[in-house]
Amino acid sequence: MTKNIMIVGVGGQGTLLTSRIIGKAALAEGCDVKISEVHGMAQRGGSVVTFVRFGDKVNEPVVEEGQADVIIAFERLEALRYSHFLKKDGVLVINDCRIDPMTVVIGAKKYPENIIEELKKDHAVYTIDAQSVALELGNSKVLNSVVLGFAAKFIGFDKNVWLGTVETTVPPKTIEINKEAFERGYNAIN
Amino acid sequence: MAKKTIMLGNEAIARGAFEAGVKLSSAYPGTPSTEISEYLAKYDEVYTEWAPNEKVATEVAIGASISGVRSLACMKHVGLNVASDPLYTFAYTGVNGGSVIVVADDPGLASSQNEQDTRMIARSAHVPVLEPADSQEAKDFVKYGYQLSEEYDTPVILRTTTKLAHSQSTVELCDRIEVEDKEYARDLTKYVMMPASAIGRHLVVEAREKRLADDAADLPVNKMEINDTKIGFITCGIAYQYVKEVCPEASVLKFGLVNPISKKLVEEFVSKVETVYVFEELEPVIEEQIRAWGFDVRGKELFTKQGEYSANLLRRVLFGADEAVFDKQEAPNRPPILCPGCPHRSVFSVLNKLKIHASGDIGCYTLGAVAPLSVIDTTICMGASISALHGMEKARGKEFIKNWVAVIGDSTFLHTGVNSLINMVYNKSTGTVMILDNRTTGMTGHQEHAATGKTLKGEETYAIDLAELCRAIGVKRVIEISSFDVKGLEEVIRESVNGDELTVIIAKAPCVLLKGQKFPNKCVVDPDKCRKCGACMKIGCPAMTRGEDGKVKIDATMCNGCGLCKNYCKFNAIETVER
């Protein structure tokens, strides 16, 4: 059975690194893996989405509407935008933060109210304020490790597989703080 | 057992070139092809470089091939347009050392100005094309490309698409094959394409293409899977994955060599399978060939020529439904934008204030077309900003361009902008050209170029001085100014567009994403001083939002501290403080 993970957010939030860590963890578990990334223009503060699929044999590299087991959203509006990609019993993990798109900044559009409450009506939704946790740890850049740790329980794999993968993926100087950030996210949910 | 790892399509292509014994690679960055060169540069055995443009890169690869080594050139689809001059004749000369040209198409326009299909150009140039469907094939096909190239004496194109280039999948690594340099022998009839030689070579090209088409049925890159004979797909590249996803039981003819395709294989497949669909992204290149042979297949009357394909697209066409469970929610668009602290924003804020139109070019600064900056009026191709402005002046006179400038990046200027500027000098233009010099090739992810002082391999080199270059070709008025000097820019732009002399303004400030370029400060709004006028919001900085009270807030983690917003606050409500 192929497991379908989507990582959505705003260009610059580190969604690419997160998808790579998930892919490497799946590979370490002996799965066939495909990861689809976004590069180039779309990365510049735009809505970005990356995909990780793993299982015995994976064909297409993208997750499509109605297929996602887990969506990891780094921002509320992006969670809303891609929520229709979820399977019926899929899980939506949201980093509870708001980044206004330019369409909202210039007043052309309104940022939707009560996104999380609305999403909870149809989906299993779990939220974390990863920014605060990252700032407590003293480095806002480890935000994605907090989110990853929080989402890891819904993806599966042993915690040590995750920590080992974080260790071999992040810049050497930041290994300890990223592992700590992962733990904080991981322990934020029972 | 071979080492198994997970690789981006582009990384696998680089690995394939390394394993194939390639000794030289030349390229110009272009999404989705850029990372090939960056990965290849890590192998000491391969000389790797950034060329100023794709034409140069291809010619470098041709020279290397003629001298007897295996060579590589990489580019995006529109880069092949620039390189098509050498390509068409390279098909005539053929190779000495094998040569592969990687061309990355961008169906769905993730980061491009059009959706052209490289297979169409390859057909008209009579160059064979290989197209992989995952990273393993990407690596294998590059290596096989060199074999084909040398066996059939032809350059070979490896065509990829965005999904292939930017997806990771598992790859088994092999060792590098050290290939001996071929002897070089002077051969006028093969390498000097004057008419008398080229006439003969055209016949060679025709014969070669026929031989390859005849042999294609037995090439290992083409694959026929006969399963359920009621339904079958003829497909190639990433589209194959969607077929396997939706119809794992169907029969499939998967072409790895997509030009020329094997008639024999099509004949056999169509005779065995009842209903045959041709499922290929973009143009009906395979389909038209098959129809021209008189076979009955279904294709573009069902499947679009536009955008990326997907499994759900195939499901919708075949079964009238996809897998979606939930409805798509209404959500305000989030288009890409200039980063906080981007020097282009500063220049555009001035152009916007002066109500000046910009003839635009290819790069991050294209994002200056959208609200609220809204200064870019045209974007065509690399270098076109300068030539198009010249065309406007010559067509409509000096007055017409009094509220126009051309804007072009430093890397793009060196790519093909400089020859447009030569034309302006030569043909007596009076326009204003702005080079937005951010010391890098920004949009593609920060590649070095001829004016940065560093090579692709990270070695120090001579940095071309853009101002001196402009003067050398005859521009008398060249002004260098900081991109963040808003007052100075305003003055100099106003003066230049109203003057009668060709002017180049070089607005300089490094891309804020370059290492070590973050400003030491950050900006904060004093809520007591903010009058909610919104003047600062007109610069379109993503770090700035309005609070519920209508006053402006600056997100401390997003702000890069450039201070541009301060210039637009009449009430001194914005201060820079230490980070």
Side-chain angles (χ1 to χ4, degrees), chain A residues 2 9-11 16 20 23-24 27 31-48 51 53 57-62 64-67 75-78 80-81 83-90 98-106 109-112 118-119 122-123 131 135 140-141, chain B residues 4-6 8 31 35 39 110-112 133-134 162-163 166-170 238 240-242 244-245 309-313 315-316 322-339 345 363-364 366-367 371-372 442-446 513 518 537 540-542 544-546 555 557-558:
Chain A
T2 304
V10 179
L16 196 61
R20 287 182 173 183
K24 275 172 91 169
L27 191 70
C31 300
D32 185 27
V33 183
K34 283 192 179 166
I35 307 172
S36 180
E37 307 185 344
V38 178
H39 297 222
M41 186 185 231
Q43 271 178 303
R44 300 277 173 263
S47 166
V48 292
F51 308 99
R53 305 189 73 211
K57 166 82 184 139
V58 180
N59 292 306
E60 71 165 325
V62 297
E64 299 191 44
E65 294 95 330
Q67 292 185 337
E75 198 266 355
R76 288 204 296 260
L77 180 60
E78 297 313 307
L80 180 71
R81 187 186 316 285
S83 58
H84 65 293
F85 276 73
L86 277 173
K87 274 183 179 163
K88 196 157 181 284
D89 50 358
R98 167 178 170 167
I99 300 173
D100 284 1
M102 199 45 66
T103 44
V104 170
V105 171
I106 63 172
K109 293 271 171 63
K110 276 198 92 142
Y111 195 97
E118 288 299 318
L119 287 171
D122 281 330
H123 310 286
Q131 180 72 26
L135 286 175
S140 65
K141 281 189 178 164
Chain B
K4 209 170 187 180
T5 180
I6 182 162
L8 206 59
T31 312
E35 300 83 4
Y39 282 112
S111 200
S112 303
D134 60 23
T162 307
K163 265 295 162 296
H166 289 160
S167 291
Q168 298 200 40
S169 58
T170 51
I238 200 80
Y240 167 78
Q241 306 292 358
Y242 306 134
K244 295 303 283 183
E245 192 75 30
Y309 280 9
S310 65
N312 268 348
L313 171 116
R315 280 186 196 102
R316 282 194 287 272
D322 58 34
E323 295 212 327
V325 186
F326 301 103
D327 291 336
K328 192 171 162 50
Q329 301 294 306
E330 194 65 40
N333 284 346
R334 191 189 298 275
I337 35 167
L338 296 171
C339 306
R345 172 177 294 105
C364 288
T366 309
L367 298 171
M443 177 71 86
T444 44
H446 307 102
L513 297 184
K518 217 170 177 183
M537 302 289 283
C541 177
M544 305 177 79
T545 49
R546 275 183 198 269
D555 184 305
T557 56
M558 283 176 85

Side-chain angles (χ1 to χ4, degrees), chain A residues 10-163:
Chain A
V10 179
Q13 278 191 306
T15 51
L16 196 61
L17 188 67
T18 306
S19 59
R20 287 182 173 183
I21 293 175
I22 297 170
K24 275 172 91 169
L27 191 70
E29 288 288 271
C31 300
D32 185 27
V33 183
K34 283 192 179 166
I35 307 172
S36 180
E37 307 185 344
V38 178
H39 297 222
M41 186 185 231
Q43 271 178 303
R44 300 277 173 263
S47 166
V48 292
V49 49
T50 60
F51 308 99
V52 185
R53 305 189 73 211
F54 56 89
D56 296 336
K57 166 82 184 139
V58 180
N59 292 306
E60 71 165 325
V62 297
V63 178
E64 299 191 44
E65 294 95 330
Q67 292 185 337
D69 294 285
V70 181
I71 295 180
I72 304 170
F74 277 68
E75 198 266 355
R76 288 204 296 260
L77 180 60
E78 297 313 307
L80 180 71
R81 187 186 316 285
Y82 294 102
S83 58
H84 65 293
F85 276 73
L86 277 173
K87 274 183 179 163
K88 196 157 181 284
D89 50 358
V91 175
L92 190 48
V93 177
I94 304 175
N95 173 37
D96 196 0
C97 92
R98 167 178 170 167
I99 300 173
D100 284 1
M102 199 45 66
T103 44
V104 170
V105 171
I106 63 172
K109 293 271 171 63
K110 276 198 92 142
Y111 195 97
E113 305 279 335
N114 309 322
I115 289 177
I116 289 176
E117 291 71 16
E118 288 299 318
L119 287 171
K120 276 183 174 166
K121 288 179 184 167
D122 281 330
H123 310 286
V125 177
Y126 298 85
T127 61
I128 186 169
D129 178 3
Q131 180 72 26
S132 302
V133 178
L135 286 175
E136 273 173 40
L137 292 171
N139 186 348
S140 65
K141 281 189 178 164
V142 299
L143 175 145
N144 44 10
S145 291
V146 179
V147 177
L148 178 68
F150 188 66
K153 281 195 176 156
F154 302 101
I155 300 172
F157 308 147
D158 189 80
K159 193 170 87 177
N160 290 325
V161 172
W162 286 112
L163 289 173

Side-chain angles (χ1 to χ4, degrees), chain B residues 44-55:
Chain B
D44 292 337
E45 294 88 339
V46 188
Y47 169 79
T48 324
E49 67 172 27
W50 291 128
N53 65 43
E54 297 85 354
K55 176 181 184 293

Side-chain angles (χ1 to χ4, degrees), chain B residues 401-453:
Chain B
I401 57 156
K402 285 294 182 214
N403 57 346
W404 279 81
V405 296
V407 295
I408 186 166
D410 43 342
S411 189
T412 311
F413 178 69
L414 291 170
H415 178 280
T416 34
V418 64
N419 25 23
S420 304
L421 187 61
I422 289 171
N423 189 44
M424 284 183 99
V425 174
Y426 173 49
N427 288 307
K428 303 186 234 178
S429 266
T430 65
T432 302
V433 173
M434 299 193 72
I435 302 176
L436 309 182
D437 181 4
N438 65 355
R439 313 309 300 161
T440 189
T441 316
M443 177 71 86
T444 44
H446 307 102
Q447 287 73 34
E448 304 293 346
H449 60 66
T452 65

